C-alpha cells in the first residue's frame, strides 16, 4: 500500500518569508498535494509571488489558503490566476 500526501495544513506555523520560499520550491516538484493551507504564516508578497509563478506549471494543487499571510491583493490575484490557469482551479483567498 502506498500512501501519498494530498492535503497539508501549515496554518499558523510562523513560516514567514523564508518558509514561503521553501514551500514555493517544494511545489515545483509536487505531484500529489492538492490542498495547502498557509494561512496565518506571514509569507508576504515575495514568497506569495514565487508561489504564484510555480502554480502556473503545477497542475496538482487545486486549493491554497493564504488568509492572514500578509499578501497584498495583487499577490492574491496572481495566485488566483496561477490556480485558474489550468481551468477550474480554486482561487487562493484571504479575508
Amino acid at each position: 500500500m502506498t500512501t501519498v500526501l494530498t492535503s497539508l495544513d501549515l496554518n499558523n506555523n510562523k513560516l514567514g518569508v523564508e518558509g514561503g520560499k521553501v514551500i514555493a520550491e517544494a511545489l515545483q516538484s509536487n505531484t500529489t498535494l492538492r490542498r495547502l493551507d498557509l494561512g496565518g504564516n506571514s509569507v508576504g508578497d515575495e514568497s506569495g509571488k514565487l508561489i504564484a509563478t510555480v502554480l502556473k506549471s503545477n497542475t496538482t494543487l487545486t486549493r491554497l489558503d493564504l488568509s492572514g499571510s500578509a499578501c497584498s491583493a495583487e499577490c492574491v490575484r496572481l495566485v488566483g490566476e496561477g490556480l485558474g490557469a489550468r481551468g477550474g482551479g480554486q482561487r487562493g483567498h484571504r479575508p
Side-chain angles (χ1 to χ4, degrees):
M1 176 177 174
T2 303
T3 303
V4 295
L5 185 66
T6 59
S7 182
L8 182 59
D9 184 345
L10 294 173
N11 193 304
N12 292 314
N13 275 284
K14 301 179 184 176
L15 296 177
V17 174
E18 291 306 313
K21 290 178 184 179
V22 171
I23 295 293
E25 185 176 327
L27 287 174
Q28 290 178 357
S29 59
N30 170 52
T31 59
T32 61
L33 192 64
R34 298 177 52 83
R35 294 176 157 209
L36 177 59
D37 184 348
L38 294 177
N41 279 294
S42 299
V43 296
D45 278 354
E46 184 178 358
S47 296
K49 288 177 182 178
L50 286 172
I51 292 169
T53 299
V54 170
L55 288 176
K56 291 179 182 176
S57 60
N58 177 310
T59 59
T60 308
L61 194 72
T62 58
R63 180 172 225 139
L64 174 62
D65 183 348
L66 289 173
S67 59
S69 287
C71 291
S72 67
E74 173 68 8
C75 178
V76 172
R77 183 186 66 75
L78 291 171
V79 167
E81 286 177 2
L83 286 171
R86 66 193 63 112
Q90 294 187 14
R91 297 190 174 264
H93 67 279
R94 69 178 206 166

